[in-house]
Amino acid sequence: MLISLGGASLRSYRPEDAPLLARYANDAAVTAYMRESEARRYTVDEAAAWIDVVRTQTPECQFSIAADGAIIGGIGLDLQPDVYAHSAELSYWIAAPHWGRGHATRAVAALTDHAFFTLGLARLYARVFDGNLASQRVLEKCAYRPEGRLRQAVLKDGRYADQMLYAKLRAEH
């Protein structure tokens, strides 16, 4: 898949993305608001193995955000099972040197369209750590609505934090 984002693109991961993916996944500024399973020492081999897995998934739900041929972030959908199969959790990140340029907002808008109109999903949601104001603003710009505060839902670096829940319905799009 390839979608132009104006100065960047949303595209399938490529094997050559592994070194930059590993580098960015080890940046404390990027991982500060990620889950612990994502925010740890991440090797190039692990990045390559993850890329191999996501390239075989059907439907494709994990994409790189790229500029000038190199990844600058990632975005994906976690399709839900069973009675929740009409929905997916959205997650995304942008490498610190590329913050503040609108890449996340354009990527979220593009993947939201893809999820609703190509994959046929009815609901997307995102969970954002309290304090991650930039990510909350991205969702708000893309017309995601706050649905609630999950109190002390996160235990990160020995501290409890709230998590904000945002969602968007296809019917509202």
Side-chain angles (χ1 to χ4, degrees):
M1 182 168 93
L2 178 66
I3 299 172
S4 176
L5 302 175
S9 63
L10 193 65
R11 65 162 171 80
S12 302
Y13 276 97
R14 300 174 181 162
E16 60 268 22
D17 293 334
L20 274 178
L21 178 59
R23 185 170 104 199
Y24 294 142
N26 289 309
D27 182 344
V30 172
T31 62
Y33 294 111
M34 287 182 166
R35 297 174 186 155
E36 290 298 327
S37 63
E38 298 160 340
R40 59 174 182 76
R41 198 73 196 133
Y42 197 65
T43 68
V44 173
D45 287 343
E46 288 171 319
W50 182 82
I51 289 169
D52 286 345
V53 169
V54 301
R55 286 173 52 89
T56 64
Q57 292 177 334
T58 303
E60 184 178 19
C61 288
Q62 299 294 327
F63 304 96
S64 65
I65 302 166
D68 299 322
I71 67 166
I72 60 168
I75 188 167
L77 299 170
D78 181 14
L79 300 175
Q80 300 300 294
D82 197 36
V83 297
Y84 306 104
H86 65 286
S87 67
E89 182 176 9
L90 169 74
S91 60
Y92 51 92
W93 60 273
I94 298 290
H98 301 278
W99 288 354
R101 298 181 189 172
H103 296 307
T105 301
R106 288 188 294 276
V108 167
L111 191 56
T112 298
D113 285 347
H114 177 72
F116 287 154
F117 304 116
T118 302
L119 300 179
L121 296 174
R123 181 177 192 274
L124 297 178
Y125 67 93
R127 294 180 286 178
V128 181
F129 290 14
D130 190 29
N132 188 349
L133 301 178
S135 194
Q136 291 176 30
R137 185 69 188 123
V138 164
L139 293 167
E140 290 165 0
K141 286 180 188 177
C142 293
Y144 281 70
R145 294 183 184 183
E147 290 192 333
R149 175 183 293 270
L150 307 172
R151 297 179 305 140
Q152 293 188 4
V154 174
L155 178 59
K156 174 108 176 178
D157 299 328
R159 302 173 118 169
Y160 288 104
D162 292 354
Q163 194 172 53
M164 309 305 294
L165 178 64
Y166 283 82
K168 186 169 185 176
L169 305 179
R170 182 178 56 214
E172 300 170 338
H173 193 62

